[in-house]
Amino acid sequence: MTKFKQQCLGFWALLILLSLSACKQSPEPLQLTQQQWAQHLQLPSVQQASQLSLTWSDKVIQHKLQWQDNSRGREVPALLYLPAGAAAAKLPLIVFSHGLGGSRDRYAYLGLYWASQGFASLHLQHIGSDRQIWRGSRLTLPFRLMNAAGEEEALARVADVRFGLDQLLQSEFAALIDPNKLVMAGHSYGANTTMLVLGAKAEPHQPDLRDARFSAGMLISAPPFYNDKPLSEVLAAIAVPTLHITNTMDEIEVPGYHSTPEERIDIYQAMPGPEKVLAVFYGGNHNIFSGRRQRPELALQDKVLKAATQSLSAAFVSQITGERPRAVAQWQQQHQALLAQFEQYATLSSADTARQALN
């Protein structure tokens, strides 16, 4: 077993076991009360999300796609979200990679919202680390998890992204997509896939996985690569703007393993790209961004944080594509009360570009 595979197994097997059993989470010194969460229901982003949820069928068209990569003997299901009436448009495209045990349908709250804001989004399903791992005997679940979290599947996910993008850009939908405005995104395991697609190199023997067609990345609850290399070396080849989203309870603790929200922040700090944004929300948990149903006591947080994530990710894409150069700063002003930490960094050249776009 390679070191890369051992590292993947060490994180992902424990992560999935956490979802099957109770976990201990360290409380933050400052958390928002239920009353405060209820007040945040009045945020423009939450109000907008509530209104849009009543009219998705009028604003968004969905296409379920079933591709077959014959060179690998592997199915690549996908779900494409498009704005209604986009027949003559050239749309930015977000390619999304789900977390372990997810599916192309799981993150609909993101795909629907992005399409309503004028973006296309392609949600891939990674056979081998998707919802099928839940099927079968619980006694053999650890073995299914080992396969899902192993090096072979990690590399197969990256190949899924390249193949899916190739298929889309050769399809009837290609005329709708602006090939110069491609964004890679993912949650949890999908955030690891995103980093690899953008150029992360976890091990010396790893082939070059970077897909240069992507001009930005969005990482939601991104766990680090567990190896002996500094994160700055692992991420050194990533040269595009990135958005990093997490929360103060994005924490995992089981016997022998502890993963903290600070590790998501470490990735942000080590990221060398020319422009990067970090948003750390109060509350939440590791799965609150996944689209899964939350416990009743988290219902308000779930609604608010999903709406804030929808609007922040859309603002980031609008900003890096030049459509709204100050979109992220404007988003921050509206959502400051939700943020335990927020940072926005850009090199001088990036700042100059933004200023030129404003003039």
Side-chain angles (χ1 to χ4, degrees):
M1 181 183 295
T2 66
K3 183 189 290 186
F4 182 88
K5 186 169 184 178
Q6 290 170 333
Q7 291 153 0
C8 289
L9 296 180
F11 177 76
W12 292 111
L14 285 168
L15 173 60
I16 208 74
L17 287 173
L18 177 64
S19 68
L20 298 175
S21 61
C23 66
K24 177 183 177 183
Q25 292 181 316
S26 302
E28 286 293 312
L30 177 62
Q31 289 295 327
L32 303 184
T33 65
Q34 287 293 93
Q35 183 179 6
Q36 288 173 311
W37 285 111
Q39 291 172 348
H40 291 321
L41 294 176
Q42 302 305 314
L43 283 169
S45 61
V46 182
Q47 293 289 304
Q48 180 196 34
S50 296
Q51 293 169 5
L52 286 172
S53 67
L54 303 175
T55 59
W56 290 134
S57 59
D58 297 329
K59 298 181 180 300
V60 179
I61 298 173
Q62 301 179 51
H63 298 273
K64 285 203 169 184
L65 307 170
Q66 196 71 32
W67 291 319
Q68 175 73 28
D69 186 349
N70 293 325
S71 67
R72 297 184 295 151
R74 182 176 170 98
E75 293 182 8
V76 184
L79 179 56
L80 177 65
Y81 296 90
L82 293 171
K90 278 290 187 178
L91 308 171
L93 172 69
I94 303 167
V95 178
F96 189 84
S97 175
H98 63 73
L100 189 65
S103 69
R104 60 182 174 181
D105 308 285
R106 174 64 71 182
Y107 298 82
Y109 80 99
L110 290 174
L112 290 167
Y113 183 85
W114 290 335
S116 76
Q117 302 305 296
F119 311 137
S121 67
L122 180 68
H123 292 229
L124 300 169
Q125 184 161 331
H126 303 290
I127 303 296
S129 57
D130 63 349
R131 60 190 175 192
Q132 295 181 29
I133 64 174
W134 303 115
R135 299 171 183 169
S137 170
R138 290 176 65 89
L139 295 176
T140 58
L141 178 58
F143 300 101
R144 298 197 298 274
L145 297 177
M146 289 177 64
N147 290 331
E151 180 179 8
E152 182 177 347
E153 179 58 26
L155 298 178
R157 280 172 151 257
V158 175
D160 289 345
V161 172
R162 186 179 296 274
F163 173 79
L165 181 56
D166 288 344
Q167 292 296 111
L168 185 68
L169 295 181
Q170 295 168 12
S171 73
E172 61 190 284
F173 303 109
L176 301 176
I177 306 302
D178 187 338
N180 297 312
K181 296 180 179 180
L182 305 181
V183 179
M184 184 64 206
H187 171 242
S188 197
Y189 198 5
N192 280 151
T193 302
T194 297
M195 288 188 282
L196 292 171
V197 168
L198 297 180
K201 190 167 186 179
E203 292 299 329
H205 73 272
Q206 177 190 310
D208 184 5
L209 303 175
R210 186 173 71 94
D211 191 326
R213 293 175 292 184
F214 289 101
S215 57
M218 296 193 289
L219 310 175
I220 304 175
S221 295
F225 295 96
Y226 290 90
N227 55 29
D228 297 330
K229 296 175 63 176
L231 269 173
S232 57
E233 291 184 21
V234 173
L235 305 175
I238 297 181
V240 298
T242 51
L243 169 66
H244 304 248
I245 298 176
T246 183
N247 59 65
T248 58
M249 301 301 287
D250 194 351
E251 183 171 9
I252 305 162
E253 187 170 356
V254 293
Y257 180 82
H258 185 216
S259 177
T260 69
E262 285 72 27
E263 291 181 314
R264 330 291 178 240
I265 298 171
D266 289 343
I267 290 175
Y268 163 80
Q269 292 174 337
M271 191 66 67
E275 184 175 353
K276 56 186 180 180
V277 176
L278 170 69
V280 183
F281 295 118
Y282 285 114
N285 57 39
H286 188 72
N287 286 323
I288 207 160
F289 304 111
S290 69
R292 293 188 178 97
R293 181 176 298 177
Q294 298 295 316
R295 302 188 305 271
E297 63 269 26
L298 292 178
L300 290 178
Q301 296 184 41
D302 182 69
K303 187 171 185 178
V304 172
L305 294 186
K306 282 180 180 175
T309 300
Q310 289 170 327
S311 57
L312 174 56
S313 56
F316 176 75
V317 175
S318 295
Q319 180 164 299
I320 58 96
T321 57
E323 296 175 11
R324 294 166 54 207
R326 290 187 52 80
V328 172
Q330 292 167 354
W331 179 91
Q332 181 196 4
Q333 291 173 357
Q334 291 183 340
H335 296 83
Q336 188 60 50
L338 290 178
L339 295 166
Q341 184 176 345
F342 182 88
E343 294 185 23
Q344 184 172 9
Y345 167 85
T347 61
L348 181 60
S349 59
S350 295
D352 289 342
T353 300
R355 281 194 292 270
Q356 291 171 5
L358 280 171
N359 297 327

